[in-house]
Amino acid sequence: MKIAFEIRPAQADEEWAVAHLFEALHHYNTLLDPYFGLAEDWRELLHDFLVKQVLDTSGITMLAWHGSVPIGLLIVTGQQDSALFKRRRWAELLALYVEQDYRSQGVAQSLLKLAQAWASKQGYQRIQLYVTASNHRAKRFYQAQGWQCVQEIWRLGLDQSQQHDDFADQLIMCSNSELE
C-alpha cells in the first residue's frame, strides 16, 4: 500500500531535517566509498550552503514528509563549467535520499520530477549526478527514470608518503629527456 506524503521546500526551521537526511545519505555512501565521509564541520558547512542557496536562488532543497516525519531529501544546484566549453551550464543533483522504510512508495520519483521541473524552468538543458560505482540499486533506479550513464570517474590513490620534492625531480627528468 502506498503511503501519503507531502513534498515542500525546506524551511529555515527544518534545517534539522535536511541535516538528518543528508547525514543518513552520506553514512550509506561512505559504506560504499570512504571518500564520501563528511567533514568534521559538515553541519556548519551545510548550513552555509543552504543559506547561500536561498539568497542567490542557485538551487532547491526539498523535503518529503510523511505527517511530521521527514522521509526524503532532494538538493539540486546550478553549475557552470569553464568558458572553454560550449555547453557549460547544467543542474546537478547533489542529494536524493529516501529513508529505507519509505522506499518504493514513489517518493524518490516525485522528488526527481521536481528536480527536472526546476532545472527546466531555470533554462538548464540537462541534469547530472554522481553515483558510486557499486551502488547498483541507485543505478537501476536512475536508468528506470530515463537517465543514462555518459561518463565514468576513475580514481588513482596517491602515496602521500613520498616527498613533495619528487614532483620537481620529475619535471627536471622530463626536461632533461627532451634535450637528448
Side-chain angles (χ1 to χ4, degrees):
M1 184 170 112
K2 298 277 185 181
I3 61 159
F5 60 90
E6 174 188 14
I7 298 174
R8 61 179 188 259
Q11 303 300 308
D13 64 343
E14 297 171 336
E15 188 174 317
W16 65 270
V18 174
H20 166 74
L21 295 167
F22 189 79
E23 182 176 34
L25 167 64
H26 283 278
H27 173 74
Y28 176 73
N29 284 342
T30 302
L31 295 175
L32 299 173
D33 183 344
Y35 282 91
F36 283 106
L38 294 172
E40 294 295 323
D41 59 344
W42 72 269
R43 287 181 186 275
E44 293 83 16
L45 295 168
L46 179 63
H47 170 81
D48 294 346
F49 170 84
L50 294 171
V51 168
K52 180 183 180 307
Q53 190 182 57
V54 167
L55 293 176
D56 67 13
T57 63
S58 63
I60 58 169
T61 299
M62 306 294 287
L63 289 168
W65 296 86
H66 177 62
S68 62
V69 178
I71 61 170
L73 171 66
L74 170 75
I75 302 176
V76 183
T77 188
Q79 299 290 325
Q80 187 161 321
D81 211 339
S82 166
L84 293 168
F85 301 103
K86 184 190 299 185
R87 294 180 180 93
R88 63 192 202 116
R89 292 184 67 242
W90 73 92
E92 186 162 323
L93 182 61
L94 295 179
L96 178 62
Y97 180 76
V98 175
E99 291 277 25
Q100 189 167 349
D101 291 346
Y102 298 94
R103 293 182 185 161
S104 299
Q105 300 288 319
V107 178
Q109 291 90 338
S110 296
L111 288 166
L112 202 53
K113 284 180 184 174
L114 279 172
Q116 291 170 239
W118 177 85
S120 183
K121 184 177 179 185
Q122 300 303 311
Y124 295 110
Q125 295 179 341
R126 70 183 190 276
I127 304 176
Q128 296 181 175
L129 61 89
Y130 291 95
V131 177
T132 304
S134 61
N135 193 344
H136 303 293
R137 179 184 170 105
K139 288 194 230 178
R140 284 190 305 271
F141 169 76
Y142 290 117
Q143 191 171 31
Q145 305 308 307
W147 291 59
Q148 299 171 352
C149 179
V150 296
Q151 187 178 45
E152 295 179 335
I153 295 176
W154 291 30
R155 181 186 300 149
L156 173 66
L158 301 176
D159 182 1
Q160 295 299 310
S161 65
Q162 290 183 341
Q163 296 292 325
H164 294 289
D165 295 337
D166 289 353
F167 178 71
D169 294 341
Q170 291 296 323
L171 285 176
I172 292 167
M173 287 174 36
C174 289
S175 297
N176 289 339
S177 66
E178 290 174 7
L179 296 174
E180 296 174 0

